[in-house]
Amino acid sequence: MTLFLNGKPLAFDSEPGQRALMAAHSAGTRVECRCRMPAPEMYIAATAGKFIVKRMPGTGPDHAIDCPSFLPPEELSGLAQVQASAITEDPDDGTTTLKLGFPLRKNSKSRTALEQTGAKPTEAKAAPRKLTITSVLHFLWHEADLGKWYPRMDGKRFWGVIHHALRRAAAGKIVKGQDLSGILFVPEYFKPENKAEIAARRNQLFANLRPTGGGETPFGLVVAEYKGKETTPHGARFIFKHAPDCAFFADEDLSKKFDKVFGDQLRLIEAMGSGHAIVIASFSIAKAGYPVLHEIGMMLVTDNWIPFEGLRELEVLNALTEQNRAFQKQMRFNLPADAPIASAVLLDTTDPIALFVANKPDDAGALALLTTASEEGHYPSWCWFDDGPMRPFPDRGASLSSRHSRPPEGGADETWDNPIPSGAIERFPDED
């Protein structure tokens, strides 16, 4: 990624670069990313006392495939459904507003019913889209670039990196009129020798969520790795990794619903013997000072913290990482489980190649939708739709000889044309 400001190269992390960005931010000047020509414009945002450069909304595909600002078209994931409706970016002030479909406060009094006028509607319009609690987790993972994988990341991702990336992703995000970073609790990488300092920072965030007077009770959000739960006389005590000294409590009803909704996912993680179960939940602070859970979502991720939805998709992601490939995992956001999306997009080929995986090859209806999505997509596609073994991926640097890569009727593999030397994109984006 080569950034230019006012026609001059920009080292945005340097002290002169930060001064230049501050002046440009005040003047509303755009930054150019000369990863390709014509150069995509980028905007300047101020977060956590620092100026950063962000891609303009909807311009991810305009960047070169080896640029850290590249993103596949939103239509390959669930992002297209919520972008510009439930997720609204404002390049002028650098903020992003998220519309939520779940509450972030609880009234002490019962809610007043909406007034029923009996009048006929005078307009036909779609209901406004809002993010579910799991979609917020998908957005944070996406915004933190945790769905993007380069071979040089191997061995460099651990909870400390995840914590930092999620906190950075939450900066400048507005929910229900407030800063998401002010109500988001992501446990710090736990070190026993730093236990007191970590608890003090956590308690400071919790103090801001305590109810005042007899009014509304504010909610916070927690994103953490699930470790387990223990039954209590009134419900359950939830334990999250890297927060061993901070249990979250749930009533009996929520605890039973958690087991019913997420039991299969937790058993899958246990059977795998690897991976992580990431939880997002809304919570309040009880008068006694402990956190109480209200609504919970979950997402499974690999050992490398890449999200996955089924065993076949997991097999594809594991094969990609074992073969040292670069790729972008696609997130579902609000889309239902049977809606067709690409599982991932290869980033180390001449042109991006979308990977489509049928987690249930015997489901004819879902397979038909997935086939249509792969054929009508913006990029060439590699597909694994049958019960047979997974086919080889396109070589690094390959350019597909035909738009789609399902085998011809005879079942023979296709050849990937125009190979170029590999390794050009094997780098850690944070090093740019």
Side-chain angles (χ1 to χ4, degrees), residues 75-92:
E75 290 74 18
L76 288 173
S77 69
L79 185 58
Q81 188 198 38
V82 293
Q83 189 73 283
S85 55
I87 302 171
T88 308
E89 292 185 66
D90 187 345
D92 291 331

Side-chain angles (χ1 to χ4, degrees), residues 367-417:
L367 191 59
L369 293 174
L370 202 58
T371 300
T372 300
S374 69
E375 291 175 346
E376 296 179 352
H378 185 78
Y379 294 142
S381 62
W382 172 98
C383 305
W384 185 25
F385 289 167
D386 57 24
D387 286 317
M390 181 172 47
R391 299 176 58 242
F393 300 119
D395 291 336
R396 294 181 186 84
S399 177
L400 293 188
S401 56
S402 61
R403 183 166 178 76
H404 303 285
S405 65
R406 286 186 303 282
E409 286 188 37
D413 286 340
E414 296 171 357
T415 4
W416 309 107
D417 295 340

